[in-house]
Amino acid sequence: MHVTMTVNGSEVERDIEPRVLLVHFLREDLGLTGTHWGCDTSNCGTCVVQLDGEPVKSCTVLAAMADGHTVKTVEGLEQGGQLDPIQQGFMEEHGLQCGFCTPGMMLTARALLDRSPNPSEGEIREAISGQICRCTGYATIVRAVQWAAEHEGADAAGGGPTNGQLETEGAHA
Amino acid sequence: MTIIDEPKTGEKVDAADLGYEHGRGHAHNHAAGDTDRPVGFGRLQRKEDPRFVRGQGNYTDDVVLPGMLHGAILRSPVAHARIVSIDVSEALARPGVRAVLTGKDLEPLKLAWIPTLSYDVQAVLATDKVRFQGQEVAFVIADDRYAARDALESIDVEYDILPPLVDARHALDADAPLIRDDLEGRTDNHIQDWECGDKAATDAVFAKAEVVVTQEVVYPRVHPAPMETCGAVADFNPVSGDLTLYETSQAPHAHRTVIAMVSGIPEHKIHLISPDIGGGFGNKVGIYPGYVLAIVGSIVTGHPVKWMEDRSENLMSTSFARDYIMQGEIAATRDGKLLGLRADVLADHGAFNGVAQPTKFPAGFFNLFPGSYTWEAVHGKVTSVYTNKAPGGVAYACSFRVTEAVYFVERMIDRLAIELDMDPAELRLKNFIPASAFPYDNKAGFEYDSGEYEKTMRHAMKLIGYDELRREQQEKRTRGELMGIGISFFTEGVGAGPRKHMDILGLGMADGAELRIHPTGKAVVRISVQTQGQAHETTFAQIVAEEIGIPPEDIEVVHGDTDRTPFGLGTYGSRSTPVSGAAVALVTRKVRDKARLIAAAMLETRPEDLEWEKGRWFVKGDPSAGKTIQEIALAAHGTMQLPDGVDGNLDAEVTYDPPNLTYPYGAYFCVTDIDKDTGKVTVRRFLAVDDCGTRINPMVIEGQVHGGLTDGIGMALMEIIEFDSDGNNLGGSFMDYLIPTAMEVPDWETGFTVTPSPHHPIGAKGIGESATVGSPAAIVNSVIDALRPLGVTAMDMPCTPARVWDAMQGHAKAPI
């Protein structure tokens, strides 16, 4: 079947099998491999993308269901060479290690901040509770989302040390 | 909150080296106006992050090659059955299917069976019978992954069902089903016996003890479940004979060697690449049938072949962890002096003995079961058996069975504290190995390098407010509320290991490092270990930076590509910092020494007249006369007449053979609340105070600890792979195999002390697995502590609401 959708601001058209999952359409037809696939029972959320601004598990959406809709993936977070504050926050607060859950986590966090600019820790934890991370133990992800909330609208790179700068614990107040 | 300076390399550390990190208080206060480019140890944002936050990582399933085909594995639906026949004709006729392989196709290639890391063999595709549910039976290669999966449905296998052996406790019964009838002369399911310590001396100690407590401690089967499953892309070039293999491998060099041995492809023709890995946690150490099938598939079809397993396949067929049934006995005096410890372990290894561990250590480093305490005598014994389950055992941040050893001794200590009606913190303090006793022979074969246990314990008790918590608990108990405080004080053993007695399949456990300083003063360091998220690209650059003064952003860390890196054994057992980190420090010092000779020539003085400051050699007494490492690098590649014995360029290589393991340790405290109406356990607070010696990057260490603590909550409260009596795997998907989300974990509290390893070049010990090793005992001890008013003295993991409820009713069950 023929599908047309807007992915990260660009219109794409493809002929696909009706049964193709959105996660595989994004990864294999469009080459957008930032979206990952971590389970087969809709539990892990490594495949989360935004569909019309709502976070969805793209392993549980047929590509055909996205026909005529708008999809945003991790590749669409950076705008004009400027990282989204949520991307910057994950780097500032060490909210990622292996990086496999990171794209899905960031898309969920982006949607959370869009509807709730100053979420509490509890709201953040609940928002990402449909997603599993094996590396971080979540606390630094919570801090990353808080960092992004505090730096929304500001020059994201200006709020903390840029990558490559080092500080010792002794430098802390 | 106290946060203090990090000690410098080699500096003697004393009372000031205590720290605490919680919430966001550690954050980013830069010294304003600091224009120097920083080098060395400290919090440094990761060099890996910019690609990962943009979705630009390159994981195995992201690899796409021209003409690439997709493989899928047909798996056994039953645990134990003879294969009567396999009919693949219908599958082969399906559109898009290129080939279907069965065990019969692999037999002439001598690839139906491959050696395991424990000198057993395992089936790649079952030829005679299947021995666990989920075992590999056939391999379909098709144009895309959907077509490959479709074709699996069309393969017709006829099984003759055999009785399965599920319960390891019955593996050695006379009438137990014989699982490994493929092994010549084998008549039972016994794999191996192993012992450590001194049995006679331990018997004597128990004979005179005032108090003896006996307790069974079960560490159930769990699974590392990395978010990215296992997979490979094999690309065999029939003209050149080269095999390029992308693989989810924690040990790319060892994999290359093993693949050369089993496939017959010469090792110099195998180019193995571990790209970005979405977590390993020990799951990606061994060779899985899927990797071999992708290689054979590429050879057979003449195309690259990708194989990526799904989550259920990962949970059902790749390396499980733990599954130790431990009978413990502890002997002590009435006033709490520890005398003797016995461990008698039954180890369930599944259908093939595929345990990934040093050859001479068939129970891994269970030698650490005496823990952090002085004993008059100890004795440990482990018997391993086959069952109709997936192979594995060593995985999931276990440091080669140290999880089991630590969980065992920390449960036993608490069990004794209950018997003596003594505070468990006090009992530990009374029996710690004193700081003055290091290096310390633990009486089970290991020599601990350094430790200041009492100091670290008291630091942790202060941070958590131990006495106040006990008061709160007393008050709650008078109101009938169930609150528990659990302690785990553990000694890890990481950094395998000295090649004189540690090898994997005969490969000594040393690691290489190569450092090259380019003419413009930028550097590349090539390492043999392989990050799966532990930030080696950042922290190894920091080691080079600390040793030679080049900023970390000017240092590229290369890993994971066997054509571009020196040989070494890979990343597991928290061995990267102890072994490869040492290699990197030493190779950098070698380059620094070479730079000194060149600098002396440049300054027209003698090398012994030069002094080093970070990044620069200068003339003693005349700091203005000096050459930076960047200037020296340019000269080393230039036209200058180099001193005698110095060849051109600025580079070096080393192979590091560690003299001993490193022995990090920690004091962990857990506070739980239990809902007395449902048995639900909530971890309210968790404090982890770790001591891993010199800290290279505190931010990365904190993240490693947080992740490991979450493993601990998972194992202690929800994770288990159980089997029914037919051998059906009951934990084979994320619907049943539960992993903590952000809702089940607290906001972690961490702290540290610094007791460097005396034998390590920068005093650093491993840390990655400490939290997974140390935390489960703290959580379970806190659950038991909460249930004490109900008369509970023991229960096994996982402490699910149902199992806690059973314990509350007085009938705690052992997990199967």
Side-chain angles (χ1 to χ4, degrees), chain A residues 74 77-78 83-91 106, chain B residues 53-54:
Chain A
V74 61
L77 280 173
E78 188 178 6
L83 290 181
D84 189 289
I86 198 69
Q87 293 173 300
Q88 193 69 35
F90 268 70
M91 297 205 297
M106 292 193 305
Chain B
V53 300
R54 290 173 172 85

Side-chain angles (χ1 to χ4, degrees), chain B residues 149-168:
Chain B
R149 295 274 166 158
D150 285 346
L152 296 182
E153 309 286 324
S154 306
I155 299 172
D156 190 12
V157 185
E158 188 184 342
Y159 294 102
D160 179 11
I161 305 287
L162 299 168
L165 172 62
V166 178
D167 187 348

Side-chain angles (χ1 to χ4, degrees), chain B residues 275-497:
Chain B
D276 290 324
I277 296 180
F281 313 108
N283 191 224
K284 296 167 179 172
V285 175
I287 307 262
Y288 292 120
Y291 304 153
V292 178
L293 292 168
I295 297 168
V296 175
S298 182
I299 293 172
V300 167
T301 63
H303 288 260
V305 171
K306 175 184 283 185
W307 164 72
M308 283 304 302
E309 66 190 4
D310 65 29
R311 174 58 53 194
S312 303
E313 296 179 281
N314 177 257
L315 285 170
M316 291 176 74
S317 71
T318 64
S319 184
F320 76 90
R322 323 293 189 253
D323 219 341
Y324 261 31
I325 301 168
M326 303 179 276
Q327 309 297 332
E329 277 188 289
I330 190 166
T333 64
R334 181 54 61 189
D335 63 356
K337 173 87 187 91
L338 299 179
L339 300 175
L341 183 63
R342 285 190 184 123
D344 188 351
V345 180
L346 179 63
D348 184 342
H349 284 204
F352 307 108
N353 187 27
V355 185
Q357 64 205 350
T359 305
K360 298 186 184 73
F361 295 81
F365 298 164
F366 194 75
N367 309 63
L368 281 154
F369 81 96
S372 312
Y373 313 102
T374 56
W375 306 89
E376 289 186 12
V378 297
H379 181 243
K381 178 171 174 292
V382 178
T383 298
S384 49
V385 297
Y386 291 120
T387 58
N388 285 116
K389 301 175 189 173
V394 164
Y396 206 172
C398 75
S399 309
F400 305 121
R401 302 287 188 188
V402 184
T403 32
E404 290 90 324
V406 161
Y407 182 69
F408 172 78
V409 66
E410 289 304 295
R411 282 282 313 278
M412 291 304 294
I413 294 286
D414 262 40
R415 184 66 189 81
L416 177 67
I418 292 169
E419 185 71 18
L420 298 176
D421 196 22
M422 185 181 279
D423 183 279
E426 185 191 333
L427 180 58
R428 286 174 171 86
L429 282 164
K430 201 179 173 81
N431 289 283
F432 279 143
I433 300 163
S436 59
F438 291 87
Y440 180 81
D441 174 357
N442 83 339
K443 296 190 167 67
F446 279 19
E447 186 183 87
Y448 301 168
D449 57 350
S450 63
E452 296 192 48
Y453 296 164
E454 183 181 341
K455 182 182 80 178
T456 305
M457 180 72 170
R458 292 197 186 281
H459 180 50
M461 289 171 73
K462 197 170 154 212
L463 289 177
I464 194 88
Y466 186 73
D467 296 339
E468 180 56 35
L469 282 173
R470 286 289 176 204
R471 277 194 291 275
E472 180 191 347
Q473 182 183 43
Q474 273 316 113
E475 286 168 23
K476 287 201 165 152
R477 280 184 178 169
T478 62
R479 295 199 297 270
E481 293 173 36
L482 301 175
M483 167 187 165
I485 305 161
I487 305 172
S488 171
F489 193 103
F490 64 92
T491 298
E492 257 270 41
V494 298

Side-chain angles (χ1 to χ4, degrees), chain B residues 79-98:
Chain B
H80 199 191
R82 204 157 294 287
I83 294 178
V84 178
S85 64
I86 306 176
D87 182 357
V88 302
S89 55
E90 198 184 316
L92 264 176
R94 291 190 62 90
V97 172
R98 304 291 186 105

Side-chain angles (χ1 to χ4, degrees), chain B residues 705-720:
Chain B
V705 171
H706 285 187
L709 298 178
T710 307
D711 293 347
I713 284 193
M715 289 181 287
L717 301 186
M718 55 188 85
E719 296 176 30
I720 187 169

Side-chain angles (χ1 to χ4, degrees), chain B residues 547-755:
Chain B
E547 292 292 334
I548 207 158
I550 294 173
E553 66 267 28
D554 288 350
I555 301 162
E556 181 79 5
V557 178
V558 176
H559 60 95
D561 181 330
T562 54
D563 277 7
R564 297 175 67 208
T565 54
F567 187 87
L569 275 247
T571 295
Y572 41 83
S574 299
R575 64 187 300 281
S576 293
T577 295
V579 191
S580 192
V584 166
L586 293 181
V587 80
T588 312
R589 288 174 195 175
K590 208 167 163 183
V591 167
R592 200 170 71 196
D593 289 345
K594 184 175 176 181
R596 181 184 205 166
L597 301 178
I598 298 167
M602 294 169 77
L603 294 162
E604 297 179 342
T605 184
R606 297 179 310 169
E608 51 270 37
D609 291 335
L610 296 182
E611 203 170 316
W612 174 257
E613 64 178 350
K614 202 175 275 183
R616 185 171 178 268
W617 285 107
F618 67 94
V619 178
K620 281 177 191 161
D622 183 9
S624 66
K627 294 291 176 190
T628 66
I629 195 73
Q630 290 84 359
E631 291 167 333
I632 299 166
L634 191 57
H637 291 84
T639 58
M640 190 188 94
Q641 181 68 42
L642 295 170
D644 285 348
V646 178
D647 51 9
N649 303 349
L650 193 54
D651 50 21
E653 56 184 76
V654 300
T655 302
Y656 184 73
D657 175 22
N660 191 0
L661 303 180
T662 67
Y663 297 83
Y665 63 94
Y668 287 6
F669 285 74
C670 178
V671 182
T672 53
D673 297 307
I674 298 178
D675 184 324
K676 64 182 178 184
D677 296 322
T678 64
K680 180 179 187 293
V681 179
T682 301
V683 176
R684 191 204 323 162
R685 288 182 70 189
F686 199 107
L687 168 72
V689 174
D690 277 281
D691 189 321
C692 61
T694 304
R695 291 152 57 84
I696 297 165
N697 186 329
M699 177 191 84
V700 169
I701 291 171
E702 186 197 34
Q704 292 286 291
V705 171
H706 285 187
L709 298 178
T710 307
D711 293 347
I713 284 193
M715 289 181 287
L717 301 186
M718 55 188 85
E719 296 176 30
I720 187 169
I721 306 253
E722 286 183 291
F723 294 82
D724 69 12
S725 58
D726 291 329
N728 291 306
N729 185 321
L730 303 180
S733 86
F734 277 169
M735 299 301 283
D736 302 297
Y737 193 77
L738 303 181
I739 289 172
T741 73
M743 302 300 282
E744 285 84 37
V745 301
D747 192 12
W748 307 108
E749 300 168 58
T750 58
F752 62 91
T753 58
V754 179
T755 310

